[in-house]
Amino acid sequence: MDYQLIWVLLIAFAVFAYVTLDGFDLGIGILFPFEKKAENRGKMMNAIAPIWDGNETWLVLGGGGLYAAFPAAYSLLMTAFYVPVIIMLLALVFRGVAFEFRFKSRDHTAHWDFAFAAGSIIAAAMQGAMLGAFIEGIDVQNGHFVGGPLDWISPFSLFCATAVIVGYALLGAGWLIMKCDGPLQGRLRAIAKPAVIWMAANLGVVSLMTTYLNPAYGERWFSTPNIFILAPIPLITAGLLFWLWHAVKRREKTVFGITLSVFFLCYLGFGITLFPHIVPPIMGFREAASPDNSLSFMLVGAAILLPIILGYTAYAYYVFRGKIDDAGYH
Amino acid sequence: MLDPEILARVQFAFTMAFHIIFPSLTIGLASFLLVLEALWLRTGNDTYLSLYKFWTKIFALAFGMGVVSGIVMSYQFGTNWGPFAKLSGPIIGPLMAYEVLTAFFLEAGFLGVMLFGLNRVGPKLHITATGMVAVGTLFSAFWILSANSWMQTPAGYSIETGRLVVESWFDVVFNPSFPYRLVHMVLAAYLTTAFVVAGVGGWHLLRNRENAAARIMFSMAMWLITILAPLQILAGDMHGLNTLEQQPAKVAAMEGHFETSKGGTPLILFGWPDMKAGETRYAVEIPYLGSIILTHTLDGEIKGLNEFAPEDRPNATIVFWSFRIMVGLGVLMLLAGIGSLWARYRKTLFECRWLHRFAFIMGPSGFIAILAGWCTTEVGRQPWVIYGILRTADAGSPVSPVAIAGSTIAFFVAYAIVFGVGTAYILRAMRQDPRHAHIAAGEIYRADHAQIVDQLDSHKH
C-alpha cells in the first residue's frame, strides 16, 4: 500500500464515520416534526447533546483531509458544489446552535425547534444531492470546472436527497428506540416502520439508476466474474432490510445496528462503483494527490492520534450510555 | 461593483471576524474554568463551583457558535478560494489536519463530559475532561497560528513544476513569524477573557459590593490583567520587530511612513495616510520615537511605503488606523492593571466604583483589540494571500459573482440572526447572580465533594 491509497481509505473512513454518526444526529432533527411535545423533543435532543459535537468533527476531518491529501479534487469539487455546500453550512449553523439555544431560550423554544428540524433536513438534503451529482459527474475542461452553479440539480440528485433524508431518519429512529422508552419509543417504532420500506425502495432505485448513468459503472457490477463476487453485497443488504422490518416492531438495540450495517454495505457498493475516481468520471485519486512527503507527514499524526481519538470517543459514549435520564441539560 | 475578488474577500473577512471572536473567548475561558474547578476541589468552597457553573453556561454558548462558524471557515477555502486551496493544500492542509486530529476531536470529545458528566464520572475524571478541553483550545491555536504565520512568512518549501513541495516540516511549522504570532494571540485571548470576566464582575459589584462570587472573579481577572497587559505590550513590540524584518511594507503602512528617512524617524501618532498622494496628511509626530520603537536606536532607518512597487503596497489608511485602535486599547488595558494595583494597595478593590465602572466599560475591549489587530496583520499582508508566492487576485475560484454575492448576503443574514440571538443569551447569562449558579443541580455536586474530602482525609491518615 502506498501513501495515496492509504489516504483515500482514511478519508473514506472519515466520511463514513461522519455519515453514520452525524447521520443519526441529523436524523433526530428530521424526526422532530413528528413529535409535537416540547418535553419529548427535549428528551430527543438530550439523547445526542453530549456527543453530537464529536460526531460533526468527522465532517471537518473528511473535508480537511481531502484539502490536504487531494487538493486538486477538493478545489474542483468545492467549486462545482458551491451552492449546495454553502446551503449545507448555513443549515448546519442553525442546527448546531439550536442545541445550545433551545435550552437557553425561555419563550422561543419553538423557533429553535424549527431551526433544528429545518437545519437537519436541509443539511441532509444537500448531502444527498451532492452525492447524486457526484455520481453523475461534473463538467471539467483543462482542469477547471466549466459548469453552472445549479448543475448539481437533477432528477437523480433530488432523488438521492430524499433517499439520504429517509436513511438518516431511520438511523435517528434506531438511536432513539435504543435511548428512549414508553410512549415516545412506541411512536418512533411507528414512524420507523414505513421508513424501512421507503428506504428499501430508494436503495433499489438509486442502485439501478447508478449502473445506467455511466456504462463503466454497469460494467463494474455486471461483467463476469464481478457479478458473482459482488452479488453478496445487494443480497445481504436485502436480507438486512428484511430483518430490520421485523426488528423495528419488537427489538430495542438491534434496529440501530442493522441500519448501520445497511449504510456500510451501501457505502461499500458506492466505493466499488467509483474506485479509483475521486472526481468522477475525469480524475483519479492519484492525479489529485499531494506530494508524498505531505501525505507521510500527516500519516504519522493520523496513525498515532486516530486510535487515541477512537478511544476517548468510545469513552464519551460509554459515559452517556443507557436510557436518557431526565436530569436535563446543564 | 460585482468584482468576485472583492466579494470573496468581504465574505471571508466577515465570516472570519465573527469566528475569531468565539475562540478568543473560549481559549481563555477554558483555562479559567480549569482553575475554578481546581480551586473548588482544593478548598471545598462552593462559591468556586458557582463560578464554574456560571461561566460554563457562557462557555457552552460561545463554544457552540465558535464550532459552527469554524466549520464554515474550513469549507470556504475550497468554495471561494479554489486556486489557493489547490496550491496550498500540500502545506496548509496537513497543518489543519493536525489541528483537527489534536484539537477539535479532543475538545468535542471531552466537552460532553465537561458539560453533562459531573455526576456521571465524578470530580476527578471531570476535571480531567475540563483540562482536556482547555488543552484542546491551545492546540487549536498552535496549529491555526502556524498555518496563518506560514502564509505570512513562508519557509521550508520549494516550488516544483508549479506546485509547493515541503523541504522541511520543522521550518514550515516553526516559520519565522510563528512564535511571535502564537504568543501574541494566546496572550490576547487570555486578556480578552480577563476583561470579559472583570467586566461582568465589575457590573455585579456595582449592584452589590458584598457579592462574594463577583469579588472572586473581579479580583482574579484583575490579577491576570495586571500581569498580562505589560507582557502583551512586550510581546507586541517583539512581534513588530519581527514584522519589520519579514514584511517591511506592512510596518511602513502601520506607521504611515511613505518616504524613507535616513535615521531619526519620528513616530506619527495620528494622521491620515493618503494612498493616492503618497503621504500622511495632518500628521502629529514625535521626533525620533519611530526609530527608537522599531530599531531600538536613535538613528535607525525605516523603509517608507514609496520604496515598494505600487502594486505591492498594502492599504495604509486601514492598517494605520486599525493598528492605532489596537495599541490604544492596549494602553488602556495597562492602565486598568495599574489602577487595580493601586486599589489593592489602598485595600479598596471592592469599594472602588470608578474601577468597577472602568472594568465594565472595558469588558468588550479585548474583542475590539483582536479584530483591529487581525485587520492590521491581514490587510497589511495584501496584496498577497501567501506572501511573495500567491497574490490574492489569483487565488479566487472561477465562481460567478452572483453566486458569491448571494452567499455573502446569506451569511450576513444568517450570522446576524444566529450570533445576535447568541449574544443576547450570553448577556442574559452574564446578568444572572453568579452566587446562585450551582443551586439548580447543586445537591449532587455537594455530595460529590463530600466524597472527595473523605478520600483526601483517608489519604492523610
Side-chain angles (χ1 to χ4, degrees):
Chain A
M1 284 236 272
D2 54 291
Y3 291 128
Q4 297 172 351
L5 187 60
I6 292 173
W7 271 103
V8 164
L9 296 176
L10 276 177
I11 290 169
F13 173 73
V15 172
F16 183 68
Y18 172 75
V19 165
T20 50
L21 295 176
D22 209 29
F24 74 76
D25 296 345
L26 290 166
I28 287 167
I30 295 166
L31 294 169
F32 246 42
F34 295 96
E35 177 57 55
K36 302 279 186 258
K37 265 186 160 169
E39 181 201 338
N40 282 340
R41 287 181 170 182
K43 272 189 193 170
M44 289 161 76
M45 230 175 185
N46 274 330
I48 45 170
I51 45 168
W52 79 273
D53 233 334
N55 294 348
E56 197 163 89
T57 306
W58 293 96
L59 178 67
V60 187
L61 185 63
L66 191 67
Y67 166 45
F70 305 100
Y74 175 78
S75 123
L76 260 182
L77 290 171
M78 289 299 135
T79 309
F81 296 151
Y82 187 91
V83 176
V85 166
I86 300 275
I87 296 176
M88 175 188 82
L89 292 173
L90 287 169
L92 290 178
V93 165
F94 279 96
R95 170 264 197 175
V97 295
F99 280 98
E100 289 302 325
F101 289 2
R102 185 183 192 276
F103 295 95
K104 297 289 187 299
S105 75
R106 294 187 199 121
D107 320 318
H108 301 288
T109 314
H111 289 112
W112 293 111
D113 282 358
F114 178 78
F116 184 61
S120 302
I121 293 167
I122 293 169
M126 290 304 121
Q127 289 171 11
M130 281 190 273
L131 173 72
F134 180 75
I135 295 172
E136 283 184 298
I138 62 173
D139 239 343
V140 177
Q141 275 167 20
N142 303 323
H144 294 285
F145 175 67
V146 292
L150 298 179
D151 278 11
W152 54 282
I153 301 175
S154 73
F156 180 69
S157 72
L158 294 181
F159 191 78
C160 288
T162 57
V164 166
I165 293 173
V166 175
Y168 282 175
L170 207 47
L171 270 180
W175 180 257
L176 286 178
I177 287 170
M178 199 159 60
K179 302 290 279 185
C180 302
D181 42 25
L184 177 60
Q185 192 196 50
R187 255 198 312 286
L188 287 161
R189 287 183 197 275
I191 299 167
K193 236 168 81 171
V196 176
I197 307 279
W198 199 2
M199 180 158 95
N202 278 337
L203 288 182
V205 175
V206 170
S207 306
L208 288 176
M209 276 180 80
T210 301
T211 55
Y212 284 108
L213 277 175
N214 184 326
Y217 297 165
E219 181 83 359
R220 176 79 33 105
W221 285 89
F222 295 127
S223 65
T224 44
N226 288 12
I227 190 164
F228 301 110
I229 302 168
L230 298 178
I233 295 176
L235 292 177
I236 296 173
T237 308
L240 283 172
L241 284 166
F242 186 70
W243 185 17
L244 183 58
W245 164 252
H246 285 279
V248 155
K249 285 180 269 185
R250 54 181 83 88
R251 297 290 180 156
E252 210 171 67
K253 288 186 179 154
T254 39
V255 179
F256 184 68
I258 303 168
T259 316
L260 217 53
S261 312
V262 172
F263 263 77
F264 176 73
L265 288 172
C266 294
Y267 194 74
L268 188 66
F270 168 71
I272 289 169
T273 309
L274 293 177
F275 191 86
H277 288 123
I278 199 159
V279 184
I282 50 107
M283 189 186 276
F285 70 87
R286 295 192 187 282
E287 300 160 54
S290 276
D292 267 1
N293 67 354
S294 292
L295 299 178
S296 62
F297 174 67
M298 280 193 292
L299 191 58
V300 175
I304 298 168
L305 294 164
L306 273 178
I308 298 173
I309 289 168
L310 292 173
Y312 62 65
T313 304
Y315 171 72
Y317 272 82
Y318 174 77
V319 166
F320 297 100
R321 69 194 175 281
K323 300 283 181 195
I324 313 159
D325 53 28
D326 287 334
Y329 204 79
H330 298 314
Chain B
M1 180 60 197
L2 286 180
D3 175 354
E5 185 204 335
I6 297 293
L7 285 170
R9 280 179 63 184
V10 165
Q11 186 182 112
F12 197 85
F14 175 75
T15 46
M16 185 70 224
F18 260 98
H19 173 66
I20 195 174
I21 285 175
F22 302 109
S24 313
L25 181 59
T26 49
I27 289 171
L29 268 188
S31 298
F32 183 50
L33 288 171
L34 181 63
V35 172
L36 286 174
E37 188 167 9
L39 284 172
W40 171 55
L41 291 178
R42 258 201 115 98
T43 63
N45 180 350
D46 273 353
T47 310
Y48 288 117
L49 176 63
S50 286
L51 280 170
Y52 181 87
K53 302 299 285 179
F54 179 84
W55 285 104
T56 300
K57 284 182 192 136
I58 293 157
F59 177 84
L61 282 162
F63 191 88
M65 290 190 276
V67 166
V68 295
S69 57
I71 290 173
V72 170
M73 301 307 307
S74 71
Y75 278 81
Q76 222 171 38
F77 289 140
T79 51
N80 286 343
W81 306 100
F84 161 78
K86 192 173 168 181
L87 182 74
S88 68
I91 293 181
I92 303 290
L95 301 181
M96 300 206 6
Y98 268 95
E99 185 185 15
V100 181
L101 291 169
T102 58
F104 292 174
F105 275 113
L106 197 65
E107 294 170 62
F110 285 99
L111 182 73
V113 180
M114 175 181 155
L115 295 183
F116 311 105
L118 186 50
N119 52 345
R120 281 186 182 248
V121 299
K124 274 188 187 155
L125 275 172
H126 188 260
I127 194 173
T128 310
T130 310
M132 288 295 170
V133 172
V135 170
T137 61
L138 291 172
F139 281 161
S140 182
F142 177 93
W143 290 109
I144 205 68
L145 264 297
S146 174
N148 179 265
S149 301
W150 188 84
M151 287 159 66
Q152 304 261 6
T153 56
Y157 69 97
S158 62
I159 297 178
E160 286 170 18
T161 59
R163 64 180 201 165
L164 293 169
V165 176
V166 171
E167 299 287 329
S168 155
W169 277 105
F170 185 86
D171 290 349
V172 167
V173 175
F174 297 95
N175 58 77
S177 66
F178 169 60
Y180 302 95
R181 269 176 226 283
L182 179 68
V183 170
H184 200 42
M185 183 68 212
V186 171
L187 284 176
Y190 280 131
L191 264 176
T192 297
T193 306
F195 271 98
V196 169
V197 175
V200 172
W203 190 78
H204 283 289
L205 286 176
L206 283 170
R207 307 183 87 198
N208 172 10
R209 67 182 71 169
E210 302 303 325
N211 188 326
R215 284 181 167 216
I216 289 176
M217 68 170 127
F218 188 73
S219 174
M220 284 175 81
M222 277 301 178
W223 274 126
L224 201 62
I225 289 164
T226 310
I227 297 163
L228 292 189
L231 275 181
Q232 178 68 313
I233 290 169
L234 189 68
D237 177 57
M238 291 168 73
H239 183 26
L241 295 182
N242 176 264
T243 307
L244 182 64
E245 200 178 300
Q246 301 288 333
Q247 299 172 304
K250 184 190 281 185
V251 171
M254 283 155 65
E255 299 295 325
H257 290 308
F258 285 89
E259 298 298 334
T260 304
S261 50
K262 302 279 175 215
T265 310
L267 176 81
I268 303 178
L269 270 183
F270 298 107
W272 191 258
D274 185 333
M275 288 295 285
K276 277 201 188 115
E279 60 170 318
T280 297
R281 297 177 190 280
Y282 322 113
V284 179
E285 305 181 335
I286 302 177
Y288 294 102
L289 196 57
S291 288
I292 294 171
I293 291 176
L294 284 168
T295 64
H296 294 192
T297 59
L298 271 177
D299 52 359
E301 180 184 305
I302 299 161
K303 256 190 180 180
L305 210 51
N306 291 345
E307 301 269 323
F308 302 90
E311 68 273 16
D312 289 345
R313 293 177 200 162
N315 185 318
T317 321
I318 297 174
V319 172
F320 180 88
W321 276 103
S322 62
F323 180 62
R324 265 147 199 75
I325 293 170
M326 176 185 79
V327 172
L329 287 170
V331 172
L332 289 176
M333 290 176 176
L334 184 69
L335 289 178
I338 294 170
S340 78
L341 273 186
W342 175 246
R344 277 184 216 274
Y345 172 73
R346 302 200 40 202
K347 304 209 189 309
T348 56
L349 189 66
F350 304 120
E351 282 77 42
C352 195
R353 312 290 282 178
W354 68 264
L355 187 64
H356 303 160
R357 263 189 217 110
F358 185 52
F360 174 64
I361 295 165
M362 287 288 284
S365 62
F367 298 115
I368 301 166
I370 281 180
L371 288 175
W374 197 254
C375 182
T376 306
T377 199
E378 298 305 306
V379 176
R381 66 140 141 202
Q382 297 299 330
W384 301 98
V385 61
I386 306 177
Y387 209 69
I389 298 177
L390 181 68
R391 283 178 185 271
T392 312
D394 302 324
S397 290
V399 190
S400 81
V402 181
I404 309 182
S407 62
T408 306
I409 293 168
F411 277 117
F412 279 156
V413 174
Y415 278 35
I417 298 171
V418 165
F419 299 122
V421 172
T423 307
Y425 289 157
I426 286 182
L427 291 175
R428 198 167 72 190
M430 286 173 170
R431 274 206 305 270
Q432 314 280 317
D433 191 328
R435 282 173 297 184
H436 308 320
H438 75 281
I439 285 179
E443 296 310 316
I444 301 164
Y445 306 136
R446 273 205 209 90
D448 278 340
H449 189 263
Q451 252 175 12
I452 305 179
V453 173
D454 284 350
Q455 282 170 9
L456 290 177
D457 281 349
S458 64
H459 276 295
K460 277 177 201 156
H461 295 308

